[in-house]
Amino acid sequence: MNGPSIIHLDLDAFYSSVEELDNPELNGAKIIVGGNSERGVVCACSYATRPFGVRSGMPVCKALELCPEALVLPVRMARYRELSHQVFGVYFKYTSLVEPLSIDEAFLDVSASIALFGDALTIARKIKKDVREKTGLTLSAGIAPNKLLAKMASDYGKPDGVYFLTQDMVDDFLMPMPVSRIWGVGRKTQDKLEVLGVETVRELRGIEMETLVRLFGEKAGHRLYDMARGRDERRVELPGEAKSVGREQTFAADKRDLGGIERELLKMADQVSSRLRDKSLKGRIVTLKVKYSDFRSMTRRLTLSEATCHGPEIYQAARELFRSLDNRGKAIRLLGVTVSCFGGGEENQLFLFEDEKSNRQHRLDESLDRIRGKYGEESILPGSLLGPEGET
């Protein structure tokens, strides 16, 4: 059967749905998953909060103003990753062409699977059934001739639905739609289009390509012109190698104690090193990001003589970068440590002619990774992070 073969799958209110799954008494509750109520950001929210205007990305304090009775829960990333891994395992049963967009959504190209499993609509329904039976979670599916339309179609299926869009349905689907609903059109683009009196896709189609190129540049102008017509030539692609591995922390209260800040750097370096080893990566460039209480940001980087995945080496570089800044008397809101410039996925193994110090570090890393793999990322920490001084 000929027809659309691109599927966009999106887990419904994923983080909050996991919280309801693990705590059935929360079913239907107004849930916000994010940081603390003073400085945190909403990472996810249940459907019950959305009529109040609560949305991902807004400050938790603002969300609680809109919905005071909402329950704020901490982010449990290890649990979300566990269930995401199970869900993606289902996807790979039906096709090897799976392109993750995030922990909770992906594109699938099922063109080579139709002979075995049925058309794309049948496959989407089977995946939804398998995911529910395996995890208890629901997802929404959009099926369309290309990625742009599939992504937009899945929004029409929410929650727990399927929206099937064939080529001859595209104009009726797109033309009445506000331009804000086009995947990839952000606030700045909307503002420029509003100046032209453009609010809908129908009105966007009336703008000449030359005008769009003049306003938005060659690439973006052509892209807007094509999107208004539902055109998207991008293939579903397997993810490439990571370009960087990092960790950022926004503090509940601005920090001024330099010793405490360096303990935070140690903790971040330790977490980044663990993630590098999990991906069998070593990097040569360590980048430090510092954001102050006045929201000014500073970024510094250091290139190491050799690629590393060891926490102490990453920490030493991050601390050196931090001390190169004039932080005296300044309150710090955010810290970030990132490692990049990878050497091609080296396996972390002991080499016969390595010095004893290096061998000890490898053995320590292996022990740390085994413990964290079993008990979680923060089940074991550097000794200087334990006790009252190390509490963050």
Side-chain angles (χ1 to χ4, degrees), residues 254-284:
D254 295 337
K255 287 185 176 288
R256 296 178 182 272
D257 173 39
L258 298 183
I261 293 168
E262 290 192 356
R263 284 194 295 273
E264 292 288 347
L265 288 176
L266 175 60
K267 182 179 179 180
M268 290 180 184
D270 188 57
Q271 292 171 337
V272 170
S273 69
S274 182
R275 294 175 187 179
L276 285 168
R277 293 191 297 274
D278 184 57
K279 299 174 182 291
S280 297
L281 293 172
K282 293 183 178 183
R284 289 191 62 207

Side-chain angles (χ1 to χ4, degrees), residues 9 13 19 46 57-58 61-62 75 81 102-103 109 113 132 148 185 202-203 206-207 211 228 241 300 312-313 352:
L9 297 168
E19 299 304 329
S46 63
M58 71 168 43
C61 58
K62 174 63 174 177
V75 177
R81 287 195 184 109
S102 65
I103 193 173
D109 184 338
S113 307
R132 184 188 286 274
L148 169 71
V185 172
R202 184 185 304 275
E203 292 166 339
I207 305 298
T211 302
E241 291 185 351
R300 294 288 185 272
E313 295 174 0
L352 182 61

